[in-house]
């Protein structure tokens, strides 16, 4: 069978398959350690052996010996060294690669963030430039770095994904190769030290590399790859004119009509699709048959059911229902069609060469047809049913009574004209005048008036013109045959003319829809602000659907449109729509008395706006067009929002870098004179000067205390500089007895502790922890200093250590004013100080305590269950080996 092909889908497929620039080959995995880099290097060696010019642009071996061995024999491009904050950062040299211009280049870790001195902030942008230059690229990426899957991975694993790659990069991959490994084998590789070295393996096992995480990541990776391959197959088939289906994967289609029994078909298709784990489509074909108001409501109800069950909705207008089903099935690579057993209509089935089921089964050999039985037997739809529908629609196929009245008077006029000249042209020639009248009716009216004109003109020709006149008897066999042929020609000619006219209107309608989509796309592309975008969208929606409209943001503030439509009632409607993420209002079963229709506008991350309309689109095609327009609008609004967020993030990142630079510089500049000041004070104390002049002792003590206080502030600032904004640092871990470490820290602070009563209760049992001694010393001293500053002179400060399960607990209590529970979390924020607290301090101490302790895998909290003062509890995991 010669299928009609969709020109837009063919063009889209051809564009997607066009090879512009270099070829991207992606080695894709569920997480680090599955062997992506190894597979990439093996592929590079095979290319080199076949004579291809291959260069290693950048490969990260992570100390894996088998990966390093694969580099032997491959040309490695030298890295560029960027001097950033006194640190030399080795980076991929893009300019050197473009100058060398190999046939194929290897770029590992596609999602990597480049150094600030690079031309592009992200490595995938380097790859895009290489591809644009015509260089083939081999690269690797994990599924958690794919933009559309990153949020899902964060939700499952609880790990924040900062480095992301747009899906559009992977869409052009040819091919994308999944490197798969079972969670059991990957965990074994991790235990053998083949994924991470040293303490990194243990941290990975306790965090990202849990077995349940790996199983979920594997499923996400498999599904993502399958989706890419399926999309690639559809585009290839469309571009090359291949009539499907190819049963690479199951896809179902259910034919939906206005019949109340369609709901049964929809549910059956949904069950089958769920069993197979396959996608499914719901298709409605608008044929030549007119629908009553009741039929239209039932059709919308059926389609809404399909939408709610997860179907992808499609609608088309075609007089040949079977042909339309076959066409849509071929375009979407459908493998199974679900339909109901059709009612028999002898006349229609005769002219259509069989029932819908018969035509699908006989002409669709590559697709399985499922016929769902009905709860009743199929009926014989004859003349009585046809008359019932004629009465229900008050006309045949949508023509009003005026069309019949005008047709009748046209035939009367033709009859009088013909009667006046019949003696000159003969009665047989009169038939051509009547046939011309029928064709004229066909060009202006629908099938009902055409059939009326054909039958009425045949009767008038016979009664008034064919001998014997004024009777229905025909004496001549030739005249009888001529009358029959006339009637058949009139009916067939009028029907064909009606079909051509309908096809003309269909083409006009499709052109209007395509123009509306184009205009929406153009206006949204040109708009630079969200308000301008909303105004253009509302104008286009109002002109397309001939109704008032307005756009609201998720906070129910008007973005664009008429204020008259935004009332308290419609705002309540919009709030309901935003909460429930589904359309409501006029024309639906929910809040239909509000006098407006509301539908959500969604992006990839949720609802971005709400559309209010005075009335709902009155046809399925109009609804689908509206949804297409709103989908474009939602993505465009989200694009603007993401652009603003990206700009804000870049500004924040720049500010953080400047802040870190200034902080580091100032801290080091202060440290040197403070060390000199403290040394000078110590020298004065050790000289005979104070013995001869005892009045200087308090001054020296004050100077020493102030200098030590400033030293602590500078040390905190240096710690802030060391612990960057991502909370990462290269810690120098050592196994120490925690109680001994606390005692040594307190010994360093005995001068500051002399103004308070100190009770120290340190456990005698061994309590070994793995810590960075210098950083943990700062954490403990900050807790103790906090107690000293905010408790009265001479009051008691208690320091205690004890074991609890597999952790050790440090408790610091004071007898100060205490801290309200409402501030129990905020006191650990950087630079936060409780309102009304005494002067002095920077608000960095407790923030640093939290950062340092969490870097060691521990926690710190304020115990609110104290009657007086404040109690801080610092908890660390016990260790038997270095972290």
């Amino acid at each position: 069978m010669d299928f009609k092909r969709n020109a837009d889908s063919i063009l889209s497929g051809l564009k997607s398959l066009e090879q512009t620039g270099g070829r991207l080959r992606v080695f894709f995995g569920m997480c680090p350690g599955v062997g992506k880099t190894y597979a990439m290097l093996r592929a590079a060696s095979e290319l080199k052996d076949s004579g291809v010019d291959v260069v290693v642009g950048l490969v990260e071996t992570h100390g894996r010996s088998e990966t390093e061995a694969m580099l032997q024999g491959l040309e490695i491009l030298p890295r560029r060294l960027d001097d950033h904050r006194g640190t030399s950062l080795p980076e991929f040299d893009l300019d050197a690669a473009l100058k060398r211009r190999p046939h194929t280049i290897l770029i590992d870790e596609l999602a990597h963030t480049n150094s600030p001195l690079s031309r592009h902030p992200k490595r995938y942008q380097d790859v895009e430039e290489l591809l644009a230059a015509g260089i083939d690229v081999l690269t690797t990426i994990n599924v958690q770095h794919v933009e559309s899957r990153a949020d899902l991975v964060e939700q499952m694993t609880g790990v924040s994904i900062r480095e992301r790659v747009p899906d559009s990069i992977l869409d052009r991959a040819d091919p994308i190769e999944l490197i798969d490994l079972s969670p059991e084998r990957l965990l074994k590789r991790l235990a053998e030290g083949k994924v991470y070295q040293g303490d990194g393996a243990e941290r990975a096992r306790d965090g990202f590399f849990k077995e349940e995480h790996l199983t979920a990541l594997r499923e996400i990776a498999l599904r993502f790859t399958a989706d890419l391959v399926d999309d690639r197959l559809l585009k290839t088939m469309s571009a090359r004119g291949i009539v499907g289906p190819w049963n690479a994967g199951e896809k179902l289609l259910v034919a939906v009509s206005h019949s109340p029994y369609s709901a049964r078909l929809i549910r059956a298709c949904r069950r089958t699709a769920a069993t197979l784990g396959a996608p499914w489509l719901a298709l409605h074909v608008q044929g030549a048959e007119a629908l009553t108001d009741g039929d239209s409501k039932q059709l919308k109800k059926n389609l809404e059911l399909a939408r709610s069950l997860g179907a992808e909705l499609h609608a088309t207008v075609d007089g040949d229902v079977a042909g339309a089903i076959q066409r849509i099935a071929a375009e979407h690579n459908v493998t199974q069609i679900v339909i109901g057993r059709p009612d028999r209509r002898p006349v229609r089935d005769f002219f259509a060469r069989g029932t819908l089921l018969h035509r699908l089964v006989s002409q669709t050999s590559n697709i399985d047809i499922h016929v769902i039985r009905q709860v009743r037997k199929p009926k014989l739809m004859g003349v009585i049913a046809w008359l019932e529908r004629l009465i229900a629609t008050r006309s045949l196929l949508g023509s009003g009574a005026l069309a019949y009245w005008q047709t009748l008077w046209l035939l009367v006029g033709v009859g009088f004209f013909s009667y006046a000249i019949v003696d000159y042209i003969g009665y047989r020639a009169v038939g051509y005048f009547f046939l011309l009248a029928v064709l004229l009716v066909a060009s202006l009216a629908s099938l009902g008036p055409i059939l009326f004109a054909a039958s009425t003109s045949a009767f008038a020709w016979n009664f008034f013109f064919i001998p014997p006149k004024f009777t229905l008897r025909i004496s001549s066999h030739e005249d009888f045959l001529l009358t029959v042929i006339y009637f058949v020609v009139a009916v067939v000619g009028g029907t064909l003319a009606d079909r051509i006219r309908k096809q003309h209107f269909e083409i006009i309608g499709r052109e209007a829809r395509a123009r509306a989509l184009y205009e929406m796309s153009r206006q949204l592309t040109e708009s630079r602000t969200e308000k301008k975008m909303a105004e253009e969208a509302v104008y286009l929606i109002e002109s397309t659907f001939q109704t008032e409209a307005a756009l609201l943001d998720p906070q129910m503030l008007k973005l664009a449109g008429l204020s008259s439509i935004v009332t308290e009632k419609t705002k309540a409607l919009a709030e309901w729509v935003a909460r429930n993420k589904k359309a409501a209002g006029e024309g639906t079963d929910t809040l239909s008395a509000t006098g407006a229709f509301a539908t959500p506008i969604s992006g990839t991350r949720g609802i971005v706006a709400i559309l209010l309309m005075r009335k709902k689109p009155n046809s399925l095609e109009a609804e689908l067009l509206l949804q297409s327009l709103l989908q474009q609008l939602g993505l465009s609004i989200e694009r603007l929002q993401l652009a603003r967020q990206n700009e804000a993030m870049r500004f924040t990142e720049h500010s953080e870098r400047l802040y870190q630079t200034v902080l580091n510089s100032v801290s080091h500049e202060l440290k040197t004179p403070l060390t000199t000041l403290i040394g000078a004070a110590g020298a004065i104390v050790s000289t005979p000067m104070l013995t001869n002049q005892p009045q200087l002792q308090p001054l020296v003590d004050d100077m020493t205390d102030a200098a030590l206080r400033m030293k602590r502030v500078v040390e905190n600032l240096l710690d802030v500089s060391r612990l960057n904004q991502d909370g990462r640092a290269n810690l120098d871990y050592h196994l120490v007895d925690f109680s001994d470490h606390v005692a040594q820290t307190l010994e360093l602070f005995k001068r500051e502790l002399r103004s308070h009563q100190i009770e120290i209760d340190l456990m005698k049992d061994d309590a070994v922890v793995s810590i960075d001694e210098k950083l943990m010393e700062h954490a403990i001293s900050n807790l103790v200093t906090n107690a000293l500053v905010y408790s009265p002179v001479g009051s008691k400060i208690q320091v205690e250590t004890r074991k609890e399960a597999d952790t050790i607990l440090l408790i610091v209590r004071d007898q100060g004013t205490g801290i309200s529970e409402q501030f129990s979390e905020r006191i650990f924020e950087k630079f936060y100080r409780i309102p009304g607290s005494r002067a002095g301090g920077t608000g960095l101490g407790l923030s640093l305590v939290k950062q340092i302790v969490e870097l060691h895998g521990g926690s710190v909290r304020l115990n609110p269950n104290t009657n007086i003062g404040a109690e801080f509890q610092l908890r660390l995991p016990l260790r038997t080996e270095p972290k």
Side-chain angles (χ1 to χ4, degrees):
M1 178 180 178
D2 183 22
F3 284 91
K4 290 183 285 184
R5 299 174 60 209
N6 187 308
D8 291 337
S9 65
I10 296 171
L11 182 61
S12 176
L14 286 171
K15 287 182 177 178
S16 68
L17 295 177
E18 281 183 344
Q19 290 294 332
T20 57
R23 179 171 173 240
L24 177 65
R25 185 175 175 185
V26 175
F27 295 85
F28 187 69
M30 64 180 179
C31 65
V34 296
K36 302 181 301 300
T37 303
Y38 186 88
M40 180 178 67
L41 288 170
R42 184 172 56 192
S45 297
E46 292 172 356
L47 289 173
K48 184 176 183 297
D49 293 341
S50 63
V52 176
D53 182 17
V54 180
V55 169
V56 176
L58 188 144
V59 166
E60 301 288 355
T61 64
H62 299 290
R64 299 166 190 159
S65 58
E66 64 269 26
T67 306
E68 291 174 350
M70 292 296 294
L71 284 168
Q72 300 300 319
L74 294 174
E75 179 185 347
I76 301 176
L77 195 69
R79 297 193 188 185
R80 184 189 75 246
L81 294 178
D82 290 345
D83 186 11
H84 181 61
R85 297 183 188 171
T87 303
S88 184
L89 302 176
E91 279 292 347
F92 168 60
D93 195 338
L94 176 59
D95 291 325
L98 292 171
K99 184 178 180 180
R100 169 66 174 77
R101 198 174 181 79
H103 180 278
T104 302
I105 189 168
L106 277 61
I107 307 292
D108 204 7
E109 297 183 0
L110 184 62
H112 178 75
T113 300
N114 292 333
S115 76
L117 300 179
S118 299
R119 178 154 71 241
H120 301 298
K122 296 290 185 179
R123 187 170 291 169
Y124 74 80
Q125 294 170 315
D126 293 340
V127 169
E128 287 180 320
E129 187 167 343
L130 290 169
L131 293 171
I135 301 173
D136 290 354
V137 177
L138 274 60
T139 188
T140 64
I141 188 175
N142 294 320
V143 68
Q144 70 264 26
H145 298 301
V146 179
E147 180 66 49
S148 63
R149 301 302 191 272
D151 290 344
L152 183 59
V153 174
E154 284 186 354
Q155 179 183 354
M156 287 183 173
T157 64
V159 177
S160 178
I161 309 299
R162 299 183 183 276
E163 295 181 327
R164 306 186 182 194
V165 171
D167 291 53
S168 57
I169 302 298
L170 299 181
D171 287 341
R172 66 175 298 177
D174 181 27
I176 182 168
E177 299 183 21
L178 177 65
I179 310 302
D180 188 34
L181 198 66
S182 68
E184 294 79 10
R185 290 182 59 192
L186 182 57
L187 288 173
K188 183 180 178 181
R189 283 174 53 83
L190 181 68
E192 293 171 350
K194 295 181 179 180
V195 180
Y196 291 114
Q197 306 293 325
D199 55 353
E202 184 177 345
R203 290 199 301 271
R205 190 183 301 110
D206 295 338
F208 197 77
F209 276 69
K210 293 180 180 178
E211 186 172 358
E212 59 270 24
H213 292 170
L214 296 178
T215 303
L217 289 169
R218 190 185 191 195
E219 180 180 1
I220 296 171
L222 289 169
R223 288 184 179 274
F224 180 78
T225 309
D227 290 343
L228 281 180
V229 173
D230 184 58
D231 182 63
R232 186 77 181 177
L233 175 62
L234 287 177
K235 290 176 179 177
T236 303
M237 293 176 65
S238 176
R240 298 180 180 174
I242 299 173
V243 178
W246 283 357
N247 293 352
E250 297 293 337
K251 182 175 284 188
L252 283 74
L253 181 149
V254 58
V256 180
S257 71
H258 57 273
S259 169
Y261 302 103
S262 285
R264 194 162 186 266
L265 306 182
I266 293 168
R267 295 188 181 97
C269 187
R270 171 67 178 84
R271 288 194 298 271
T272 306
T275 302
L276 296 174
W280 60 295
L281 289 67
L283 171 66
H284 170 66
V285 180
Q286 178 62 53
E289 189 178 40
L291 299 182
T292 64
D293 292 339
D295 289 342
S296 297
K297 290 181 180 179
Q298 183 63 48
L299 174 61
K300 290 182 179 180
K301 189 175 180 180
N302 293 339
L303 292 174
E304 188 57 39
L305 173 64
R307 191 200 308 272
S308 66
L309 292 178
E312 180 183 337
L313 293 188
H314 290 268
T316 186
V317 179
D318 199 320
D320 181 7
V321 177
I325 293 176
Q326 293 166 337
R327 172 167 52 84
I328 298 299
E331 289 176 2
H332 292 82
N333 204 29
V334 169
T335 60
Q336 301 182 39
I337 296 176
V338 177
I339 65 169
R341 187 181 303 173
D343 292 322
R344 291 174 293 163
R345 300 181 181 180
V347 177
R348 184 198 64 180
D349 295 342
F350 174 77
F351 285 106
R353 300 185 302 279
T355 64
L356 173 63
L357 174 60
H358 173 77
R359 282 178 283 158
L360 283 176
V361 171
S362 62
Q363 300 173 9
T364 314
S365 59
N366 296 327
I367 301 178
D368 297 330
I369 310 294
H370 297 273
V371 182
I372 306 300
R373 66 179 181 85
Q374 299 178 6
V375 294
R376 60 162 177 82
K377 292 182 178 180
K379 296 187 296 183
L380 179 64
M381 298 293 287
V383 177
I384 295 177
W386 179 82
L387 289 174
E388 288 175 351
R389 180 165 294 278
L390 175 63
I391 295 170
T393 56
R394 299 185 303 278
S395 63
L396 185 60
L397 303 177
S399 298
L402 180 61
Y404 291 93
W405 181 251
Q406 292 171 338
T407 300
L408 177 61
W409 278 106
L410 174 63
L411 295 177
V412 169
V414 171
F416 276 111
F417 175 76
S418 300
Y419 198 79
I421 63 172
V422 68
D423 293 337
Y424 301 100
I425 63 174
Y427 69 89
R428 289 179 177 173
V430 171
Y432 292 104
F433 285 98
F434 279 114
L435 184 59
L436 181 63
V438 172
L439 295 177
L440 180 62
V441 171
S443 66
L444 299 174
S446 58
L447 188 56
I450 294 171
L451 297 179
F452 173 73
S455 56
T456 303
S457 62
F459 169 80
W461 188 34
N462 180 16
F463 189 82
F464 293 106
F465 296 95
I466 298 177
K469 294 181 179 181
F470 307 113
T471 68
L472 296 176
R473 186 169 60 86
I474 302 175
S475 58
S476 169
H477 293 294
E478 292 84 351
D479 290 342
F480 177 78
L481 183 60
L482 188 61
T483 304
V484 173
I485 292 175
Y486 166 82
F487 180 74
V488 173
V489 170
V491 171
V492 173
T495 302
L496 291 176
D498 175 63
R499 182 175 297 177
I500 292 171
R501 184 175 57 83
K502 286 182 176 177
Q503 289 177 349
H504 172 69
F505 288 137
E506 289 173 13
I507 292 172
I508 292 176
R510 289 176 183 175
E511 181 185 358
R513 291 191 293 274
R515 187 167 56 251
L517 289 170
Y518 167 74
E519 284 296 323
M520 175 68 84
S521 177
R522 185 178 64 83
Q523 295 290 353
L524 296 181
T525 302
E526 294 176 355
S527 299
R528 292 292 179 265
T529 65
E530 195 171 328
K531 183 175 179 59
K532 180 66 174 175
M533 190 176 288
E535 290 173 350
E536 295 291 350
V538 166
Y539 173 78
L540 185 60
I541 289 171
E542 288 182 336
S543 59
T544 302
F545 299 98
Q546 300 300 308
T547 185
E548 297 176 353
L551 272 178
L552 305 180
D553 65 12
Q555 287 72 43
M556 299 303 119
L557 299 176
K558 185 170 73 71
L559 293 173
L562 295 175
S563 300
S564 59
I565 196 174
V566 184
T567 64
E568 291 300 323
K569 187 180 291 187
T570 56
K571 273 190 177 182
L573 171 66
E575 289 173 354
W576 188 93
V577 168
R579 284 196 307 271
N580 294 274
K581 300 179 181 178
K582 58 186 294 188
E586 191 269 336
T588 69
D589 296 329
T590 307
L591 303 174
S592 56
T594 53
F597 169 73
T599 186
I601 303 174
S602 301
T604 58
R605 302 190 301 172
I607 293 177
V608 297
I610 306 294
L611 173 67
L612 286 175
M613 301 176 69
R614 188 66 72 185
K615 61 181 181 180
K616 184 182 180 184
N618 54 8
S619 69
L620 176 63
E621 281 191 285
E623 286 188 38
L624 293 177
L625 174 60
L626 177 63
Q627 291 303 320
S628 298
L629 294 174
L630 296 185
Q631 185 178 23
Q632 284 192 38
L633 177 60
L635 293 174
S636 298
I637 291 176
E638 190 175 64
R639 173 177 55 80
L640 276 182
Q641 293 173 347
L642 289 173
R644 285 200 301 269
Q645 292 175 10
N646 191 35
E647 186 64 29
M649 288 176 63
R650 281 201 297 267
F651 178 77
T652 302
E653 184 179 353
H654 178 74
S655 300
E656 284 286 341
R657 287 200 298 266
L658 180 61
Y659 152 77
Q660 291 287 345
T661 302
V662 173
L663 190 63
N664 197 33
S665 175
V666 170
S667 300
H668 280 95
E669 289 295 326
L670 289 174
K671 189 174 183 180
T672 301
L674 279 174
T675 303
T676 304
L677 184 61
I678 294 172
I684 293 174
V685 170
S686 62
T687 62
M689 184 187 302
L690 291 182
T691 306
N692 300 327
Q693 302 182 40
Q695 71 273 15
L696 297 178
Q697 182 68 49
L699 297 177
V700 174
D701 290 343
D702 290 344
M703 182 176 66
T704 304
D705 290 342
L708 290 172
R709 178 181 171 187
M710 281 295 298
K711 182 183 178 184
R712 286 194 298 272
V713 171
V714 169
E715 287 176 344
N716 284 341
L717 290 174
L718 287 171
D719 285 342
V720 169
S721 181
R722 182 181 175 189
L723 304 174
N724 63 32
Q725 60 267 32
D726 293 329
R728 298 191 298 266
N730 296 318
L731 304 189
D732 183 18
Y733 289 104
H734 294 282
L735 288 176
V736 299
D737 183 281
F738 189 65
S739 293
D740 288 346
H741 184 69
V742 172
Q744 293 172 11
T745 302
L746 294 177
E747 181 65 23
L748 296 175
F749 279 79
K750 63 182 181 180
R751 177 181 178 84
E752 288 88 338
L753 296 175
R754 70 185 187 278
S755 60
H756 289 71
Q757 303 177 42
I758 307 299
E759 290 187 2
I760 302 175
D761 182 11
L762 305 180
M763 56 179 294
K764 304 300 182 184
D765 298 337
D766 290 340
V768 178
V769 292
S770 179
I771 59 174
D772 182 310
E773 294 181 78
K774 189 65 177 176
L775 277 180
M776 191 55 65
E777 178 186 306
H778 288 175
I780 296 170
S781 63
N782 278 336
L783 278 182
V784 175
T785 301
N786 187 78
L788 290 172
V789 171
Y790 295 103
S791 60
V793 174
S795 63
K796 184 187 299 182
I797 294 177
Q798 297 174 300
V799 180
E800 175 187 351
T801 59
R802 64 168 180 255
K803 276 186 181 179
E804 285 191 2
D806 57 349
T807 64
I808 187 167
L809 194 64
L810 169 67
I811 301 173
V812 178
R813 303 186 189 93
D814 63 50
Q815 295 181 339
T817 57
I819 301 174
S820 173
E821 189 172 352
Q822 64 178 316
F823 303 115
S824 60
E825 293 297 329
R826 295 210 62 188
I827 56 174
F828 294 104
E829 294 179 8
K830 194 180 295 183
F831 299 113
Y832 180 79
R833 303 184 75 246
I834 297 174
S837 57
R838 57 177 291 184
T842 60
L844 280 175
L846 294 179
S847 171
L848 278 171
V849 172
K850 187 173 189 295
Q851 279 187 278
I852 293 169
V853 172
E854 288 181 351
L855 278 172
H856 287 80
S859 63
V860 62
R861 74 182 187 98
L862 172 71
N863 182 12
N865 303 317
T866 55
N867 296 324
I868 185 172
E871 177 182 306
F872 287 90
Q873 298 181 354
L874 185 155
R875 190 181 301 272
L876 290 173
L878 293 172
R879 300 277 183 179
T880 58
E881 58 183 22
K883 190 175 178 182

